[in-house]
Amino acid sequence: MTKPLLEVHNLRKVFKKADGSQHVAVDDISFHLETGEIFSFLGPNGAGKSTTINMITTQLTPTSGTIKIAGRDIRTDPINARRKIGIVAQYNNLDRGLTAFENLVYHGRYFGMTTQAAEQRANELLADFGLSEWRQDYVKSFSGGMAQRLKIARAIMHRPQLLFLDEPTTGLDPAYREILWDHVLRLNRQQQTTVFLTTHYMEEPERFSDHVAIYQQGKIRALGTIPELRQLVPAASIVYATVDAVTAPLLQELNQQPFIKEILQKDEKNLAIFPNTDDQILQQVLPIFEQQPVKLENIRLSFASLDDIFVHVTEHPTEMEVKAHA
Amino acid sequence: MRNQTSLNVFWIMVKRDLLIQWRNWAEFIFRVVMLPFILILTYGYVLPKIGVLPASFPNDLFPGMVGMSLLITGIHGTAVPLSMDFNNSREIEDRLQAPVPVMVTAWAKMFVGMIESWIGALLVLPISLIFMGQSLRLHLTTGNIFLLLLILLLSSFASAALGLLVGTIVKPNQIAAMFPGFLMPVIFTGAIFFSWSALVKLPFYQILVLVNPLVYINEALRHTMLGVGNAMPLTYSLIGILAFTILMGVLGMRRFRKMAVR
Ligand SMILES: Nc1ncnc2c1ncn2[C@@H]1O[C@H](COP(=O)(O)OP(=O)(O)OP(=O)(O)O)[C@@H](O)[C@H]1O
Ligand SMILES: [Mg+2]
């Protein structure tokens, strides 16, 4: 096997807070990314995802641990690291005094593209991301979604080998989400671009990721392919039921059934039921609902979604430490 | 894609800064011209004309105006955009991400600050000629001109280095306080309205003002522009400028690095 493109070993970041106390934002994490893979880094707000990205992209100094890109320690060779990296930051850090076109061209020039090559690619990307009409407009006049599109175009302008997307689709309408993924997947397929994604939209990693890390309070709780992660939840297939209102007697009745392993109440109307068996589950579950004075609005059987895996893993933090891929 | 050299990226970054400055040229001229204009009008024209100040005063004032405009413009031109870039817009991140040492970005910022400081010094000339042209008795020889250029070069570097330091310390919401809290004291203790040697009568004050780099800049300019006169010995003022440049440069670079890679 070839050397991984990105290797992270025992990475830690401790922030000093305003009151003098310490906050461990990233707590001794290790993982690696192979060239060409799409890696999703999922975690609740404040888990330390952006902090991790900032350290890998040479913007923030780790408290301890090592990061290697293409086998070279980024601390001793940050320039080589930056040459390979493209970043879509979580916030708008576009150059406000420049036009959309200039933002892209200058970025390309910083990365050694000739003016001609940079201008040509800038025009292509502006067209792809629906910004041609605003080519000569200053980005201070851009809407949130427009700025987000331009940030994405800028990050892929120099065709990076390792692309960091920190919640790239937040604020994007569905059509531009597709365009973003279209571009990212094309870079990934044609140039083996490796992608490091953080997102709160679970369907994106579900569709595109090779590996997923579930990350919480500075620690990786689970890491693997989605089928591997599915093994962490009590059942591979789950019954999703929606009723007019979940009642205590209903939960009690369900809990007494020998073929049900666990019940997760998602909200006042929705239940996820983890069965023990894969046989005839719906046929066994349906009568229970019929006996109860509740109105069943919807019921379906499906594989555990990433959403369920995520909820399950983050709610059972100590039980699992799977390092299928570490 | 060819490997990018630091020098190439430096020029591209300089070009970016100059482009942005060029787009705000009217605001730039206004900012740079107003301070020397109002001081020259008052101290170089009105007060000597009505007899509050001696008729020879404008001649002593002129080098100080050049030095002040150079220093203030350079500090301002480096510090304010830097402070905004780092704290508000974070737009500097794109440049810091370029595959060159992060200090290239700092050098580019300083270089642009130096260019601005030269423009600041140059703009004093027409104002001075208009309001105090008749009183000026400059003493410039060919040898002097080179010395003068050297002093201007060193001083502009010192001002950009000071701007780098200030810009990486001051937060955008503190910029408004920078004028009364920092620039005004620099101006009024900076040997503009008096020559340093005249302070012998106030020995404590004479020592105190030595912490102000503008004192050395103005004394060196006075020495070269007006002939020996009553200025501080040239070696002292040159050493002063040099020492300040190195000190501010080292501190500014260190601060910049801290801000760039937190
Ligand atoms: N410069 C800093 N100083 C102090 N604490 C910080 C700093 N940056 C981040 N933190 C803290 O570190 C933790 C992780 O922050 P981070 O931005 O990495 O989270 P995140 O996983 O990206 O969250 P989100 O989903 O909201 O973007 C948070 O508790 C945050 O308050
Ligand atoms: Mg974040």
Side-chain angles (χ1 to χ4, degrees):
Chain A
M1 212 155 71
T2 52
K3 243 189 170 336
L5 180 63
L6 171 67
E7 297 162 84
V8 173
H9 289 290
N10 305 107
L11 187 65
R12 228 174 114 79
K13 181 69 194 182
V14 182
F15 285 116
K16 233 192 228 113
K17 293 210 280 196
D19 64 4
S21 65
Q22 295 200 326
H23 175 73
V24 183
V26 176
D27 193 1
D28 198 18
I29 62 170
S30 301
F31 60 91
H32 64 256
L33 267 64
E34 302 292 341
T35 298
E37 80 165 284
I38 297 180
F39 181 84
S40 295
F41 205 60
L42 308 179
N45 288 140
K49 303 179 296 293
S50 299
T51 304
T52 304
I53 291 182
N54 288 342
M55 287 191 282
I56 301 173
T57 55
T58 76
Q59 302 179 77
L60 185 68
T61 314
T63 306
S64 61
T66 52
I67 300 164
K68 286 183 185 170
I69 290 181
R72 289 203 240 177
D73 193 324
I74 67 161
R75 211 181 302 206
T76 51
D77 197 355
I79 296 170
N80 176 58
R82 289 202 286 271
R83 209 189 312 280
K84 296 188 162 48
I85 287 174
I87 312 170
V88 176
Q90 199 176 352
Y91 42 82
N92 182 348
N93 60 0
L94 291 165
D95 219 328
R96 314 280 201 286
L98 298 178
T99 65
F101 179 69
E102 286 163 351
N103 261 277
L104 299 186
V105 172
Y106 271 98
H107 180 87
R109 301 279 287 128
Y110 299 148
F111 280 83
M113 295 171 85
T114 61
T115 309
Q116 205 188 5
E119 288 182 354
Q120 191 186 339
R121 180 147 171 86
N123 281 327
E124 284 166 18
L125 287 171
L126 287 171
D128 287 350
F129 283 94
L131 293 169
S132 293
E133 202 184 317
W134 288 277
R135 187 175 172 275
Q136 301 297 3
D137 282 74
Y138 291 110
V139 301
K140 51 190 159 207
S141 67
F142 275 23
S143 77
M146 285 160 72
Q148 188 63 15
R149 271 137 60 192
L150 188 63
K151 272 165 62 194
I152 295 160
R154 185 177 69 175
I156 59 180
M157 180 73 194
H158 60 288
R159 300 184 175 89
Q161 289 177 36
L162 178 54
L163 180 61
F164 291 86
L165 303 170
D166 198 350
E167 301 186 24
T169 46
T170 304
L172 279 196
D173 66 40
Y176 282 114
R177 267 183 220 178
E178 288 304 316
I179 292 176
L180 158 74
W181 279 108
D182 204 50
H183 265 273
V184 171
L185 293 177
R186 201 165 354 134
L187 275 175
N188 174 257
R189 248 178 263 121
Q190 292 172 354
Q191 294 172 48
Q192 292 265 296
T193 298
T194 308
V195 179
F196 186 112
L197 168 76
T198 82
T199 179
H200 294 291
Y201 300 110
M202 296 296 167
E203 66 279 5
E204 290 176 348
E206 216 156 13
R207 273 171 70 191
F208 307 116
S209 273
D210 298 302
H211 290 98
V212 174
I214 297 178
Y215 184 70
Q216 189 185 26
Q217 291 178 351
K219 281 196 182 299
I220 293 177
R221 302 293 179 197
L223 198 163
T225 61
I226 289 177
E228 281 167 343
L229 293 181
R230 226 170 242 141
Q231 324 236 310
L232 299 175
V233 293
S237 14
I238 299 178
V239 177
Y240 294 97
T242 308
V243 292
D244 54 351
V246 176
T247 61
L250 173 67
L251 288 174
Q252 203 182 351
E253 188 61 30
L254 286 166
N255 263 320
Q256 280 167 5
Q257 304 303 318
F259 64 91
I260 291 177
K261 202 189 269 174
E262 195 177 314
I263 299 164
L264 187 77
Q265 185 173 353
K266 300 183 136 189
D267 53 42
E268 63 270 27
K269 289 173 72 106
N270 287 290
L271 290 174
I273 301 165
F274 300 93
N276 270 325
T277 144
D278 284 343
D279 291 349
Q280 311 263 309
I281 305 158
L282 279 183
Q283 285 87 330
Q284 300 189 62
V285 171
L286 267 173
I288 304 170
F289 283 94
E290 277 159 12
Q291 288 157 21
Q292 292 287 323
V294 292
K295 192 161 160 253
L296 183 63
E297 292 174 351
N298 189 5
I299 190 160
R300 72 192 160 86
L301 178 72
S302 85
F303 278 137
S305 68
L306 188 55
D307 209 22
D308 295 310
I309 301 173
F310 183 82
V311 170
H312 187 82
V313 169
T314 50
E315 285 186 355
H316 299 76
T318 47
E319 285 168 29
M320 48 199 74
E321 273 279 326
V322 184
K323 298 246 168 97
H325 190 60
Chain B
M1 208 176 288
R2 71 203 147 94
N3 256 2
Q4 192 63 320
T5 68
S6 298
L7 192 64
N8 276 335
V9 175
F10 170 83
W11 285 118
I12 294 163
M13 288 178 182
V14 168
K15 207 176 128 195
R16 173 210 168 267
D17 283 355
L18 290 179
L19 177 68
I20 285 173
Q21 200 56 261
W22 173 249
R23 286 183 174 151
N24 299 314
W25 65 271
E27 181 253 12
F28 172 77
I29 300 283
F30 181 78
R31 156 165 78 77
V32 171
V33 160
M34 267 323 278
L35 185 64
F37 168 73
I38 200 73
L39 290 178
I40 288 173
L41 180 70
T42 311
Y43 293 93
Y45 183 76
V46 176
L47 296 184
K49 273 277 185 285
I50 62 175
V52 174
L53 289 171
S56 64
F57 191 77
N59 201 39
D60 283 333
L61 181 68
F62 177 72
M65 278 296 120
V66 174
M68 175 202 76
S69 189
L70 180 124
L71 186 77
I72 301 295
T73 313
I75 294 176
H76 202 283
T78 315
V80 173
L82 207 54
S83 171
M84 304 290 278
D85 265 14
F86 268 125
N87 299 288
N88 279 4
S89 58
R90 298 170 87 164
E91 52 192 47
I92 203 167
E93 285 177 6
D94 188 42
R95 277 162 278 160
L96 294 175
Q97 212 56 45
V100 292
V102 290
M103 291 321 289
V104 171
T105 310
W107 284 106
K109 270 269 172 274
M110 282 176 60
F111 186 75
V112 172
M114 284 172 74
I115 294 179
E116 288 190 25
S117 77
W118 291 326
I119 298 173
L122 266 180
L123 286 175
V124 170
L125 284 183
I127 308 170
S128 300
L129 287 176
I130 293 170
F131 290 103
M132 33 189 223
Q134 296 147 332
S135 327
L136 294 185
R137 305 274 175 275
L138 299 187
H139 175 82
L140 285 175
T141 63
T142 351
N144 263 357
I145 296 272
F146 282 108
L147 189 60
L148 185 65
L149 288 178
L150 179 76
I151 293 169
L152 290 176
L153 190 71
L154 265 181
S155 304
S156 65
F157 189 79
S159 79
L162 191 54
L164 190 70
L165 185 63
V166 171
T168 46
I169 293 175
V170 170
K171 302 280 168 276
N173 59 345
Q174 300 167 331
I175 287 177
M178 209 171 88
F179 196 75
F182 175 66
L183 297 182
M184 287 301 266
V186 165
I187 292 169
F188 281 95
T189 63
I192 298 173
F193 306 105
F194 48 84
S195 82
W196 181 74
S197 50
L199 291 178
V200 275
K201 289 172 201 154
L202 296 169
F204 175 71
Y205 197 65
Q206 192 176 32
I207 304 291
L208 189 75
V209 298
L210 288 178
V211 300
N212 183 351
L214 188 56
V215 170
Y216 305 97
I217 294 174
N218 283 345
E219 288 297 310
L221 289 174
R222 199 165 276 135
H223 196 286
T224 32
M225 286 180 175
L226 306 181
V228 234
N230 52 0
M232 181 190 278
L234 197 56
T235 10
Y236 291 6
S237 49
L238 284 180
I239 289 173
I241 297 174
L242 208 60
F244 256 99
T245 307
I246 294 170
L247 182 70
M248 294 306 144
V250 169
L251 293 179
M253 299 274 178
R254 203 179 287 169
R255 272 295 303 177
F256 184 90
R257 196 177 286 281
K258 249 204 190 127
M259 294 291 284
V261 184
R262 284 162 292 144

